Amino acid sequence: MKVAIVDYGSGNLRSAHKAFERAVREQDLDAQVVVTGNPAEVASADRVVLPGVGAFADCRAGLLAIEGMWETLDEVVRVKARPFIGICVGMQLMAERGLEYGTWDGFGWISGDVVRIEPEDPALKVPHMGWNTLSQVRPHPVLDGIELGPDGLHAYFVHSYHLAARDRAQIIAETSYGGPLVAIVARDTVIGTQFHPEKSQRLGLRLIGNFLRWRP
């Protein structure tokens, strides 16, 4: 199995690479993890990881700057139906639109827009940064064996915008920060995490391992 982590100038690539390689070792999987900015290599991968750090528009521009990368990712998901995970802004790019400093089209794999966080408690600062537990909205294989709920494991978040998903059936987990925020989305062969699994210790490694074993 080849796992391609997309390098487009945005994302914590070193941490992501190390976390996925560690999950491969700990799960005793026969998998090769590569970091690549080559669309052909992404197209040939069995699983694809799209990280992302920063603003929606900047990450979008980074993908579009690599000839054929945007189209390759869309084909990987829509046509080839390969397992795909988007992380942080990589997850936000799965939405229909990003409304950060303008209006920008996303891939449209998940229904909804990426909008600024507006906590109900004005004392809560934006960005939302730190460790939070997750609450399950619906079962999904990537959550297998992960302790959820107020006494569960914590995930690491850092973001000012969130995906306001229109179809609740596409949400599998939420977190709370002055109101509910989408933490994980899923549809068909794709999932997306607003938090950083590569920085989320036990929860993150278990989720990555579940993704690598997932047979959608």
Side-chain angles (χ1 to χ4, degrees), residues 179-206:
L181 298 176
V182 170
I184 310 176
V185 293
R187 175 186 176 188
D188 302 327
T189 63
V190 302
I191 70 166
T193 66
Q194 181 59 71
F195 58 90
H196 287 270
E198 76 279 10
K199 296 182 179 181
S200 295
Q201 300 177 0
R202 286 174 57 204
L203 184 154
L205 282 172
R206 186 58 188 256

Side-chain angles (χ1 to χ4, degrees), residues 166-188:
R166 278 196 285 274
D167 184 353
R168 191 156 179 82
Q170 295 177 348
I171 303 172
I172 66 170
E174 294 176 325
T175 193
S176 179
Y177 190 71
L181 298 176
V182 170
I184 310 176
V185 293
R187 175 186 176 188
D188 302 327

Side-chain angles (χ1 to χ4, degrees), residues 54-176:
F56 187 104
D58 292 341
C59 290
R60 181 180 186 275
L63 283 177
L64 290 171
I66 302 174
E67 185 176 356
M69 183 62 83
W70 186 278
E71 294 79 8
T72 294
L73 291 172
D74 203 44
E75 182 181 12
V76 161
V77 168
R78 293 186 191 269
V79 180
K80 296 182 177 179
R82 302 276 168 79
F84 174 101
I85 182 170
I87 296 172
C88 197
V89 183
M91 172 258 221
Q92 294 180 359
L93 287 165
M94 295 161 58
E96 292 171 312
R97 298 186 305 170
L99 305 184
E100 184 176 2
Y101 308 119
T103 301
W104 314 93
D105 289 336
F107 285 105
W109 304 332
I110 299 292
S111 62
D113 294 336
V114 177
V115 300
R116 184 168 176 81
I117 299 171
E118 296 183 357
E120 295 172 5
D121 181 353
L124 292 175
K125 296 181 179 179
V126 176
H128 166 218
M129 181 170 14
W131 296 86
N132 291 75
T133 56
L134 308 179
S135 59
Q136 180 175 291
V137 175
R138 66 177 177 89
H140 192 281
V142 297
L143 295 178
D144 287 353
I146 297 176
E147 300 166 46
L148 303 172
D151 298 320
L153 298 177
H154 287 71
Y156 181 74
F157 291 82
V158 53
H159 61 124
S160 298
Y161 285 74
H162 71 108
L163 200 169
R166 278 196 285 274
D167 184 353
R168 191 156 179 82
Q170 295 177 348
I171 303 172
I172 66 170
E174 294 176 325
T175 193
S176 179

